[in-house]
Amino acid sequence: MEEEKEDGSMAITDLSRRRFTQLAGLTGAAALAGLGLPDAAEAAEQAPVDPEFPVSGRGRKLEAAYDPNTDEIKVNDEVIVRYSNCVGCYAMCGVRLKLDRDSREILAQGGNPYNPCNAYPVLPFDEPLTEAYRTMTQSPTKQTGAATCCGRSLGALDVYLNSYRITTPLKRAGKRGEGKWEPISWDQLIEETVEGGKLFAHLGEDREIEGFRAVRDFDTPLVPDAPEFGSKANGLIYCGGRTDGRGQTSTRFLSMYGSSNKYSHHSSCYGAKGVYPYQSGDGDDLGIDAENNEYAIWMGTFPGANGGSVMSDLKRVAATIENKQAKIVVFDPNLGNGVVTPAQDNAVWYPIKPATNSALTMGMIRWIIDNEKYNEGFMCAPNLPQAIKLGFNACTNATHLVIVDEAHPNYRHMMHPEDAGLTPSSAENAFEDQYVCIDAATQQPAVSLDCDKGLMEWEGEVNGVKVRTAYLFLKDSANEHTIEEYSEICGVPVDVIEEVASEFVAHGTKSSVNGAGGVTSANGTDATSCYSTLAGLTGAICMKGSIIATFVGVTGPGNGERYLLSKAEGMPKDKPDARVDRTGFAWEDTSEYKRRTAAGEKDPKPLLPWYPGGVGTSDNQMVLSLANGYPHKAKILLTWQCNPIKATPGAQREEVMAAFKDPDIIPLAICSDVVEGTFAHMADYIVPDTMYREHFGISQHAAWWPHKGNFLQWPMVEPKSMKLDDGRHASFDVYLCDVGRKLGLPGYGDEALLSATGEKLPFNDACDYYVKALANVAYEDGVIEDLSDEEIRMQALDTLPEAWKKAVTPEEWSKVQRLLSRGCRTWPEADTWDDQGRQTYAGAYMVNFYSEERGSVRNHYTGKFYEGALGWHAETFSDGTPIADVYSREEYPFGAASHKPYFRCVTMLSDSALLRELSPHNYLEINIEDARELGIKDGDTVQAINPSGDVMEGVAMLRGGTARGNIGISFGYTQDAYGSTDLTVGDETVPGNPAINTGVQLCQMLDPQVGEGAIFAFSDPEASTPGRNGGMFKLVVPTA
Amino acid sequence: MQRAETKSGKRPFMLVDVSLCIGCHACVNACKFENELEIKQFNTWIETWDAGEYPNVVRANVPHLCNHCDDAPCLAVCPTGATYRNDDGLILVDQEKCIGCKYCMAACPFSVRWQNDAGEVEKCTFCVNRTSAGLLPACAGNCPTHARLFGDLNDPNSEVAKKVAELGAESMLPELGIGTNTCYVGLAETNALPKSSSVLHGGRVAVKLEEMGA
Amino acid sequence: MIAMVWNELIVCYLFLAGLGAGSFLLASVTGWLSGSTKKIRLIGSVVGLATVAVGTLLLMVDARAGLGSPARFFGLVSNLGSPMAWGVLCLSVFLVIAAASLIFQLAKKKVPKFIDVLGMLCSLGVATYTGVLLGAAKAYPLWNMAILPALFVVSAALAGFSLVSAIAYFSARDELPSLTFMPKAEVVLPVLVGVLFAALLVATAAVPGDSAHAAASLSVQRMLVGSFASVFWIGVVVCGIVVPLVAGVCRLISKRRDVTNVGMIGYVASCIGEFAMRYVIVMAAVSITLGAAF
Ligand SMILES: Nc1nc2c(c(=O)[nH]1)N[C@H]1C(S)=C(S)[C@@H](COP(=O)(O)OP(=O)(O)OC[C@H]3O[C@@H](n4cnc5c(=O)[nH]c(N)nc54)[C@H](O)[C@@H]3O)O[C@H]1N2
Ligand SMILES: Nc1nc2c(c(=O)[nH]1)N[C@H]1C(S)=C(S)[C@@H](COP(=O)(O)OP(=O)(O)OC[C@H]3O[C@@H](n4cnc5c(=O)[nH]c(N)nc54)[C@H](O)[C@@H]3O)O[C@H]1N2
Ligand code: SF4
Ligand code: SF4
Ligand code: SF4
Ligand code: SF4
Ligand code: SF4
Ligand SMILES: [Mo]
């Protein structure tokens, strides 16, 4: 097979590499070919003589020893073990670092036994650290509780130890994207980005660039004559951040700065999962209770292969399969490397065509309705207390009336008491609005809160207004097609649809259904609604074993018992309605629309679509907006820890890259990155940052885990980024602190952070903020105990920086130490369920069979309303035209389904030589029968071509594990920068390593239906999210 | 399960449950870090393929590592005595004695041995430094589904002994009749399914679909 | 990716050891012949000693770790259960005997009978051992313990006899007729090689056990039609069997049974052929672990 070409990097000798490192502020690449671990001789020299902790020729210092005869554990003093979070990928598992006590060298990495992601069973928070050591031993009770990290996580460690790392500020020394840089001082970085000026005059660029100060102008509108975009301060467009709990510092910065153009990767990540038209309530995301179910349908996440928490889902699902507690079925175009394995019979994979989830679901619903297998009692409970009385934990709007009178001002909205001439109820209401239903007892309209049972199937007039129940919309929608037709669309056989539907209802609240990235398609709004709609038919929501509320923990945790961290005096209030990403705002409300209609234009169309009902904020649309300079350009683009161009399938193309390199569209581009990623490559300034293991973050859990907990990252090792004169290490957090202080932003400087008692405390470094936030977590919902001296010593927590200690009171510090020692705080699992199996942490949920949020929104191209109920809708372009009406399905018979990589992490980790060795490139995965029909052989070079003419060329892998009609593609391969191209700092050059840029990247077509000349990647017309899975492709074998 | 006796009376043993292995490579990479192996050196690897005929397909992942054979062919052929058996029955290599003749590599039916840069032969040691101190080997200690269970087979209380008692244990190449101390559950069942993709090592094609004469 | 442990270096070693053993065998046998064979004996001894010595050197070069720390070679006979330990003993004794024989010849003294006897035994030992070496490696079904030793002995004889005869054709043509058994041997040996090789293929293809069977069939397939087909058909079959056989038959049925240019072609071909045979046997072998993946 292909040999790795490391030649480029190998050309640099050790010496010059070290010199380069010093000069250029890059570290790493200690051993390009090896893992960068100390050589054998060195290791032998270091080997301890202690016979209790033997070290053979290979093998590292031991953390402890265990005697099976006495069951005793003896901890090795020379080694410390610390717990924190892994951010190898966004699953945010816990991590365990084994460090040499003296040198603080990283000896090994594993999982955190206190974190439910890595350990199942998980070690309760109160268990002593010696019990954590026990999970690493052959102790007969603990092996299956061993805390683990995944292979990628160790790839991320490889990257941490070995890749070239940006450690000092860099300023562009050539054109954007040329990879030429000069190292600059921290002060120069702050000065120039804040004050602006003719920053690149020495490169012959005469442009006057506005810095943070000039852009923070609340008096000048950002877009003249378009007040909806607010003031010029909104010209700061920010993108970055993950669910790693580190976003709090940038959130604070943006709100103090006063820009609402703040994006993270949510839209490109979970797609339409960010819109919940079919569920109301105050919870966040819903997921599968993998631990307690009897039947689970995974539809858009492959347990073990991907998922919000790969490891947590995997461990729990694997356990239910092993102990025969559950049967699980996975509908996926790709058979993932996950829990569907040989030699077990209770996990089954069913291939499904990409972007057809709702056809499958509608088939199931049709069967459930036809056979009256739904839970009528549950559905007819018209309010939450009534549903709870019946033993459930959520309700539905099945019985709620919807106004279908076209003349009525609330046409297509839910009927409210006022519309029905009823007096609103005084009963307590978990939801914002009150609804009306037909009381089953009186057969008369009633406020649903005041009624015990409503009618599910009713239509007629109430108060002279034509109405029908929400349920009828779903029923009609299901009846649009026969089960055979649904089967034909999604490629799942009729008997499978029927069997899965019948199993799903048979297990009642012990069955569950969900998915995530699989819903990221142009009809993703339907796909994401499938889950709650199905649960609405059985009551399987927020019950033990069903669909559960996730992300349970201390939210924020900015404002708590001890500190009020999200507040500051003088916070700007300017919050414009419209943002550059065109979501949450209707085209008809824009000034442009008004201006053009006033000028006599009939039914004007925008250059790019607007999304009144879309996800909150949309990184992918932000990228497409800037690529087109529409609806406006940027003043400053600040990016951190993200790559929304690569994350948006179809956006990674020349025209888009050109726009990002164009100072007319983006006058000032600042990127914080640890390596020269795509955005850093195209930036004016690179802000060095700490990496995980080196910084703070406090998160709730992305895992589908029903219990309560907060999980933390903390600097377990000293950051490799440059040390500033005052002892702080350069990082994005410190950058924002210093910019905030220089600008005089509220909430920055020496009197910035508020304690609960009203004290004003300094904010100059990440620890000032996060150590206080940790104190909030420690005191929340039952204060935790102090950490014992013995355990402090075990982890050397007495050697932590003084600055951390000073950030809180001595009383708080000891509790913070306890949190650090566990890398998390979890609350007792027993508190999660009430005696009837209701999830106590769940918010109030209502399943909407009819969604007014969706049903009352019109597509501004067609003027037509979207459907209010879940239904099967083929993928369409923005203007509602089915893609198959524009291009020929016969010519482009394939869809694509991308899946998360096993040996990369989203767009990252191709700089790990270890992961490249395991997987040098990805493949175009093609069904074995499809391939044989096309004459494609395993290993052939093939091209997948979309109707826009984009060619993805790659190596064919023939699989029984790919659905017919699908092209499977692992995400994360190919790089336009990231070490694949030459990087020059000062007068030294690290040659690009072509092995970093291998494989194929999914490229979706352009939407031909948007405005003239626009570059617009195929997107979900409702949610605004990428049309990632699905699309149209043909497969061609290139003739040489 | 009947095993040859060892001097210490212990029987370090690994049981790999193929139905639990998802090919995540947590074990492979943990082994690399623990044993400081270089990029192209592997004490253990995973073979992955699609098993079954479309649409009834499952994903097979089979970990490979040294079997610490009772009747070890590598031990038999090593001329220098560099390959030896320790008191617990582990087959180890004394690198100081190894001349790098590779006879052991040719003799090992499982191809688990490799040469280091100096030409000495190495392989999985069952993490003897860790396991002899009562710790888990790096791979089994980092397997998220505990598809790899490790412990003393002669201790009826160990998890591995219990699972073996319940489910039995298969050798990788049972026809050779070599007593192996790495055993499997579900391997024969897995191998009985027709293969519908190439066999991968990690993400690399190791054996092409066409070559398998399927 | 088809894992292979030994490479061309070992092929050369196996070939040279066989060639040397065959040559020296011929040299030793001359002790029993009536005609004048001094020069041929000298040729066989020099060739035998040199090729085996070079082969042994290659073996040491292949054992990189030993080459790096030569003291480790003293450990080579630690495990007498290992065919390689016996092989090393054989090679050592062979080298001593061959050297001794040569010394007697160079000193123009009569080579004692016991040295000839030992020489024959050592030659047979070295040739057999090269087969046993492979045969003991259970991972490769192609390396069949029942057949390889015999095959390697006859092919060593064929190659060694041929090489010595060829050299003698130029420098000791007068002595050639003294090798009275040669015309027959030149027919019998290629036939035996052919028969044994066929037996090897048959035995390999019929090896029991799923994985072993798969690996074995792949080995056979690689030889007959796969990536080693040309070496196999041209090298092993044509050069190693057919041409020597034809040449041998020509000589046998010719009146004077002289070595002719046709015979020379046969000699050269058989050397090439016996090299090719070892090459395909080493290189086309497929390990049964790969079989396990089938
Ligand atoms: N291995 C690995 N795990 C990861 C990551 C990683 O990089 N690598 N990244 C992490 C991140 S950032 C996230 S957000 C999560 C995401 O985790 P998921 O959302 O679970 O991951 P995806 O791979 O995007 O999509 C899930 C599955 O949906 C399938 N799919 C695609 N189209 C369709 C469809 O139309 N219908 C159905 N039913 N299925 C479809 C894909 O084949 C894939 O197997 O994973 C996290 N875990
Ligand atoms: N085709 C296809 N597209 C997809 C997906 C898919 O499955 N298929 N998945 C989607 C999903 S789920 C997601 S989450 C997105 C991912 O998309 P994003 O979240 O936008 O991208 P990332 O890969 O997380 O961002 C990578 C950048 O962050 C930098 N970085 C890493 N660590 C640090 C750090 O500690 N500090 C700083 N300052 N920078 C750091 C890296 O060097 C790199 O340049 O992609 C989405 N796009
Ligand atoms: S799944 Fe992601 S977060 Fe969890 S251990 Fe693996 S790389 Fe780290
Ligand atoms: S860690 Fe476990 S599940 Fe993962 S590949 Fe290794 S054996 Fe299989
Ligand atoms: S598996 Fe191979 S290396 Fe390990 S003991 Fe058995 S024969 Fe020797
Ligand atoms: S390579 Fe080393 S361990 Fe293997 S047989 Fe030769 S001397 Fe023994
Ligand atoms: S037991 Fe140790 S050496 Fe062997 S494969 Fe596992 S981690 Fe590697
Ligand atoms: Mo994601």
Side-chain angles (χ1 to χ4, degrees), chain A residues 33 58 138 143 341 917-918 938, chain B residues 19 39 122 135 198 203-204:
Chain A
R58 295 270 182 182
Q138 296 170 40
Q143 180 168 0
T341 59
E917 171 65 23
L918 288 173
D938 198 48
Chain B
S19 74
I39 293 299
E122 300 197 43
L135 299 177
S198 296
R204 282 175 190 266

Side-chain angles (χ1 to χ4, degrees), chain A residues 88-91 150 152 265 269-270 298-310 330-336 352-357 360 515-521 523 527 531 704 896-907 966 971 1028-1030:
Chain A
C89 78
Y90 300 109
C150 78
R152 274 184 311 286
H265 75 217
C269 170
Y270 268 28
W298 296 74
M299 212 163 100
T301 278
F302 204 116
N306 42 53
S309 177
V310 205
V330 188
F331 289 97
D332 199 307
N334 301 309
L335 170 62
I352 182 174
K353 287 186 199 154
T356 63
N357 277 10
L360 165 66
V519 308
T520 313
S521 57
N523 53 5
Y531 317 130
W704 289 352
S898 132
H899 62 84
K900 291 293 179 290
Y902 311 129
F903 304 106
R904 301 287 187 275
C905 162
V906 280
T907 79
N966 173 48
F971 188 44
R1028 178 160 97 212
N1029 301 315

Side-chain angles (χ1 to χ4, degrees), chain B residues 1-202:
Chain B
M1 224 189 141
Q2 211 48 51
R3 307 258 39 141
E5 281 190 16
T6 62
K7 284 190 188 146
S8 68
K10 286 191 198 150
R11 181 43 92 183
F13 190 85
M14 190 176 304
L15 187 68
V16 181
D17 187 337
V18 179
S19 74
L20 288 174
C21 179
I22 62 142
C24 67
H25 285 70
C27 50
V28 172
N29 291 353
C31 173
K32 288 201 127 202
F33 275 91
E34 174 62 30
N35 295 299
E36 301 178 59
L37 305 185
E38 281 177 17
I39 293 299
K40 290 183 189 295
Q41 304 172 339
F42 291 91
N43 278 348
T44 179
W45 72 94
I46 314 292
E47 292 185 2
T48 303
W49 65 91
D50 290 344
E53 263 166 66
Y54 187 80
N56 303 313
V57 187
V58 295
R59 187 76 159 167
N61 285 291
V62 178
H64 289 239
L65 68 157
C66 176
N67 291 283
H68 295 275
C69 306
D70 285 350
D71 178 14
C74 60
L75 180 68
V77 302
C78 174
T80 61
T83 293
Y84 69 101
R85 187 189 300 283
N86 82 355
D87 288 355
D88 289 346
L90 303 190
I91 301 292
L92 300 171
V93 183
D94 181 348
Q95 260 97 61
E96 300 282 294
K97 287 191 186 161
C98 175
I99 56 164
C101 67
K102 295 176 283 199
Y103 202 6
C104 53
M105 292 170 70
C108 171
F110 308 95
S111 299
V112 301
R113 293 177 162 244
W114 49 270
Q115 258 183 315
N116 64 23
D117 290 345
E120 296 152 357
V121 165
E122 300 197 43
K123 65 171 190 71
C124 157
T125 63
F126 261 2
C127 284
V128 60
N129 64 318
R130 293 181 62 77
T131 51
S132 60
L135 299 177
L136 288 170
C139 59
N142 199 38
C143 172
T145 59
H146 56 83
R148 295 182 185 230
L149 278 185
F150 182 90
D152 182 0
L153 190 67
N154 287 350
D155 171 4
N157 284 324
S158 69
E159 275 179 286
V160 72
K162 284 184 194 151
K163 186 156 179 175
V164 169
E166 190 194 332
L167 297 176
E170 310 161 32
S171 285
M172 177 159 271
L173 293 168
E175 61 267 37
L176 295 179
I178 298 175
T180 56
N181 291 295
T182 297
C183 280
Y184 296 80
V185 177
L187 184 62
E189 216 178 304
T190 303
N191 283 334
L193 294 169
K195 295 194 167 51
S196 54
S197 76
S198 296
V199 175
L200 300 168
H201 283 191

